[in-house]
Amino acid sequence: MKNPFGNGDDDDNQNMIPIPPNYATITNPETGEIRIAKVGFSFTSLLFNIWPSAFRGDWYNLLCMFGVQIIVLMAFLMWSSIPLASIEAIADLIFRIVWGFLYNLMYFRHKFNQGYVPADDRSRQLLTEANYLKSSN
């Protein structure tokens, strides 16, 4: 099967799954588990707020994101006289944008802390260029 995204040598990687150019593959050498995820802005977090972390089974980041949202909302309610419905609508939009920019970074960093490493040179280069991975790793 010809790789439609044109990354990698098709002759050497006959069984390779075609991966879009902005996706990186990471693997855990101890368990052999492989993860493929997007590098860059998370449109799923923009659309679904904290739920993409639940879809990926990323419970650590789900709880972190939920905790940040609750703490910020509670702090704002303590010092504001604006009704809850107004605050919640504005905060939801702001959090969706913030998580859109940060979630994929949080996901990869957490996976690196769990022992995952880039599966190939292309993924390593992509993660390093996006500052998800330090160049010394």
Side-chain angles (χ1 to χ4, degrees):
M1 172 176 159
K2 179 131 175 77
N3 184 343
F5 302 107
N7 54 350
D9 186 5
D10 291 327
D11 294 333
D12 294 337
N13 299 314
Q14 289 295 326
N15 296 325
M16 186 175 114
I17 298 172
I19 299 172
N22 59 338
Y23 279 67
T25 306
I26 56 175
T27 185
N28 189 333
E30 295 174 9
T31 63
E33 187 175 355
I34 297 174
R35 295 286 181 144
I36 300 171
K38 183 179 178 194
V39 175
F41 189 81
S42 173
F43 287 99
T44 54
S45 291
L46 179 68
L47 295 174
F48 301 112
N49 203 353
I50 63 174
W51 292 108
S53 55
F55 302 153
R56 289 183 179 179
D58 186 15
W59 307 115
Y60 174 81
N61 283 325
L62 174 70
L63 293 174
C64 288
M65 292 161 62
F66 184 70
V68 167
Q69 287 188 199
I70 293 297
I71 290 168
V72 169
L73 281 174
M74 287 174 55
F76 198 85
L77 286 172
M78 286 174 50
W79 293 300
S80 174
S81 60
I82 302 172
L84 175 64
S86 300
I87 292 172
E88 194 173 21
I90 293 167
D92 183 56
L93 177 63
I94 291 169
F95 280 121
R96 285 172 184 256
I97 293 169
V98 168
W99 299 140
F101 281 105
L102 292 179
Y103 177 63
N104 286 334
L105 171 67
M106 293 168 50
Y107 177 75
F108 276 108
R109 294 263 172 102
H110 182 63
K111 289 298 179 189
F112 294 146
N113 288 336
Q114 290 180 330
Y116 282 78
V117 294
D120 54 16
D121 289 334
R122 188 193 68 77
S123 294
R124 179 179 302 279
Q125 180 182 4
L126 179 64
L127 291 165
T128 303
E129 288 174 0
N131 295 320
Y132 284 26
L133 181 68
K134 295 178 183 156
S135 41
S136 62
N137 285 347

